[in-house]
Amino acid sequence: MRLSGRRVAKAVRAGVAERVAALAEAGKAVGLATILVGDDAASRVYVNSKHKAAEKAGMLSFDHHLPADATQEEVVGQIRRCNDDPDVDGMILQLPLPGDLDGHAAVEAIDPAKDADGLHPYNLGKLVLSQDAPVPATPQGIMEILRFYEVETAGRLAVVIGRSFLVGRPMALLLGAKGVDATVVLAHSRTKDLPDLARTADILVAAAGRARMVTGDWVKPGATVVDVGINRVDAEVVGDVDAESVEPVAGGLTPVPGGVGPMTVACLLRNTVAAAERSADLR
C-alpha cells in the first residue's frame, strides 16, 4: 500500500487554514519568512513551494534571498531582522548553507519562538524532555502519516537509518515517546550488519541521504517503510528506498515524491500558526 503524504497534508493544511482564519478574525495576521542563501535550484523550488502553501493557507509570506557569497554575519543579520519583525511569526532557514557558512550557528540565532523548523537547540531540548515546543517538521509529518494510516506503533520495533538532527534523532525520540511506545533503534552508515538489522523492523525509516540504499531484501514482509530521502539521479528524483523492489514486500511505503515531502511543508505551516497563536495570547 502506498502511504500518500499528499492526502494527509491536505487535511493538515485545511486545519491550518481554519486556525489562520480564526486569528484573522481576531485581528492577527500570520506571517512566515524564509531565508535562502545561494542559487541552488532544488532549494529554490522547495522554498517556492513553502510560499505557495503559506499563501493558500491565508498567511503572509516573506521571501529573503541572500547571494551565495554572503558572509556569516550577513546571514545572521537577516535572521535577527526577522526575529525583530512583528509581522513574522515563523521563520525557515533553508539548509544546508553553501560554502563554509555555519548552519548550526545560524540556526542558533533564530528566536526559538519563531522556529518553524523546530531545529533550534532550545526546542530540540524541549523535545528530549517531552515538553511543548515546535517539533521538527519532517519527523512530525512522518508521525502524522503513521497516525492517519493507523500504523500500530506500541510495542513495535522501529529502526531509523540516519542520525541527523534534522530527521533521524528527533524521529527516534518521537517514535519512542510515551503514547507512541515503539522500541527504537537508531542506525547509521557505520552500523554493523545494517541490512540484517533493517529486516527486523516493523517500522523502517530511511533517512540516510543515499539513493535507493534500502532494497527489498532489507525489509521484513509486511513492514511499514518510510522513505525520507530526496536524491537526484540523472533527471529523476528518487528516495533512499528502492521502491520497485521494496513495494512488493512492504505492508506500506511512502512514495517519492508525494510522501514525506508534502507533510514537511504542512507541518512547517502548522508550527507557524501555533507560534502566531502563542504570540496573540501574550498580547
Side-chain angles (χ1 to χ4, degrees):
M1 178 175 67
R2 290 210 164 194
L3 309 179
S4 171
R6 290 194 177 106
R7 183 180 175 191
V8 189
K10 183 178 180 180
V12 172
R13 290 197 309 268
V16 168
E18 290 178 1
R19 294 163 68 180
V20 170
L23 285 168
E25 288 183 6
K28 165 63 181 167
V30 181
L32 172 67
T34 63
I35 301 172
L36 173 64
V37 184
D39 302 305
D40 180 76
S43 292
R44 179 75 267 177
V45 169
Y46 190 39
V47 166
N48 287 343
S49 72
K50 294 172 183 176
H51 284 286
K52 289 178 183 177
E55 290 164 5
K56 285 182 181 179
M59 294 182 183
L60 301 175
S61 187
F62 307 99
D63 183 9
H64 302 287
H65 186 192
L66 280 68
D69 61 357
T71 65
Q72 187 80 21
E73 291 74 19
E74 289 169 334
V75 175
V76 170
Q78 181 59 68
I79 292 170
R80 288 176 175 158
R81 285 190 290 275
C82 289
N83 286 343
D84 295 338
D85 187 343
D87 292 329
V88 173
D89 297 289
M91 185 193 325
I92 298 162
L93 174 66
Q94 187 66 29
L95 299 172
L97 297 179
D100 296 328
L101 294 174
D102 187 339
H104 291 284
V107 168
E108 287 188 29
I110 296 172
D111 180 348
K114 295 188 176 187
D115 176 24
D117 268 319
L119 298 177
H120 191 282
Y122 178 83
N123 291 327
L124 290 174
K126 288 271 197 176
L127 178 61
V128 170
L129 296 171
S130 299
Q131 296 179 357
D132 185 43
V135 174
T138 297
Q140 180 186 158
I142 292 168
M143 295 304 301
E144 288 294 339
I145 290 173
L146 297 178
R147 280 189 282 266
F148 185 89
Y149 289 101
E150 299 181 344
V151 175
E152 182 63 48
T153 55
R156 299 301 194 265
L157 178 63
V159 174
V160 180
I161 305 175
R163 52 186 170 181
S164 75
F165 80 103
L166 296 171
V167 180
R169 295 183 193 186
M171 187 76 253
L173 289 168
L174 290 176
L175 284 166
K178 287 186 178 180
V180 181
D181 300 323
T183 299
V184 185
V185 177
L186 184 59
H188 45 80
S189 61
R190 302 294 295 275
T191 298
K192 186 178 180 180
D193 299 326
L194 181 56
D196 291 339
L197 174 63
R199 271 191 296 274
T200 67
D202 301 299
I203 300 167
L204 180 62
V205 180
R210 292 176 56 188
R212 300 189 177 113
M213 180 181 73
V214 176
T215 54
D217 59 349
W218 287 39
V219 176
K220 178 181 179 179
T224 298
V225 181
V226 178
D227 190 352
V228 184
I230 298 289
N231 308 284
R232 292 188 179 273
V233 177
D234 299 324
E236 187 180 6
V237 175
V238 301
D240 288 359
V241 172
D242 179 48
E244 185 176 351
S245 65
V246 167
E247 193 163 17
V249 181
L253 170 65
T254 60
V256 175
V260 173
M263 286 306 303
T264 297
V265 175
C267 291
L268 288 168
L269 300 184
R270 186 160 64 181
N271 282 347
T272 300
V273 73
E277 290 166 343
R278 289 192 295 269
S279 173
D281 287 343
L282 293 175
R283 292 174 181 171

